[in-house]
Amino acid sequence: MHVQEWLETVPAVAVYALVGLVIGLESLGIPLPGEIILVSSALLASQHGDIDPVVLGASATAGAIIGDSIGYAIGRRGGRPLLAWLGNKFPKHFSEGHIATAERSFEKWGMWAVFFGRFVALLRIFAGPLAGVLRMPYWKFLVANVFGGILWAGGTTAVIYYVGIVAESWLKRFSWLGLVAAVLVGLTSMLVLKRKAKKAQQAQLVAAAE
């Protein structure tokens, strides 16, 4: 069943809870389609008065900030062994190459990697746990986490909602295009990161061989 069609069958409270939960778990470090759920819910809010976009945006923002914070705490406590465990559980997302790419981003950009990582699918999963593993000062992480969460979750909700209001009749017939756009953005960012991760992994193998 189409994601948006399924969301139409559940109460507004359940939509808020689902958005907050999925985004929170994704931010915590579990690969879930948080962006797709958020876009679908924002489109639904623009077409049905039962869903309040302000509450929806607040739920998404809270999920993003809380999930990232829990991920940070887990990463700080679990350290490198945690990354190895995640690599075994989710090899496509937490491979050595992906971790190396994310680490270089953190070393180069620091707290900005947490802020901008919110807008990139794989970095959104990595940001919290990796910041904890690398022992980034919590106040820096918190500032980047809060502002990144507000801008990404709140901003995405607002943009999609108002686009839906302006083009409601068009989106009712072709609302799947919003989901396709979100998926394409996510896939593009994922492919770029995978390419960088593969290069990093090959460089590590060459260095180890020497």
Side-chain angles (χ1 to χ4, degrees), residues 22-162:
V22 171
I23 291 177
L25 290 175
E26 181 189 37
S27 302
L28 189 152
I30 300 175
L32 290 174
E35 192 168 43
I36 292 176
I37 293 294
L38 180 57
V39 169
S40 299
S41 301
L43 281 173
L44 186 60
S46 71
Q47 299 165 16
H48 299 278
D50 294 339
I51 299 177
D52 188 331
V54 176
V55 178
L56 179 65
S59 300
T61 301
I65 294 171
I66 294 171
D68 247 11
S69 296
I70 295 174
Y72 175 91
I74 293 174
R76 193 173 180 89
R77 185 177 181 84
R80 295 277 175 185
L82 173 65
L83 295 181
W85 181 82
L86 288 172
N88 291 329
K89 290 291 183 181
F90 308 105
K92 291 184 178 180
H93 297 86
F94 288 89
S95 67
E96 291 182 8
H98 288 159
I99 292 173
T101 299
E103 279 189 296
R104 284 201 303 274
S105 298
F106 271 73
E107 290 170 359
K108 184 176 182 180
W109 301 106
M111 63 187 294
W112 289 108
V114 177
F115 179 83
F116 289 112
R118 176 60 61 186
F119 300 88
V120 181
L122 285 178
L123 284 181
R124 192 159 56 243
I125 300 171
F126 275 116
L130 191 56
V133 170
L134 297 178
R135 297 192 173 276
M136 175 183 290
Y138 183 67
W139 72 268
K140 288 186 176 181
F141 171 80
L142 183 62
V143 170
N145 179 27
V146 169
F147 282 101
I150 291 173
L151 189 59
W152 175 75
T156 299
T157 302
V159 169
I160 298 299
Y161 176 77
Y162 284 113

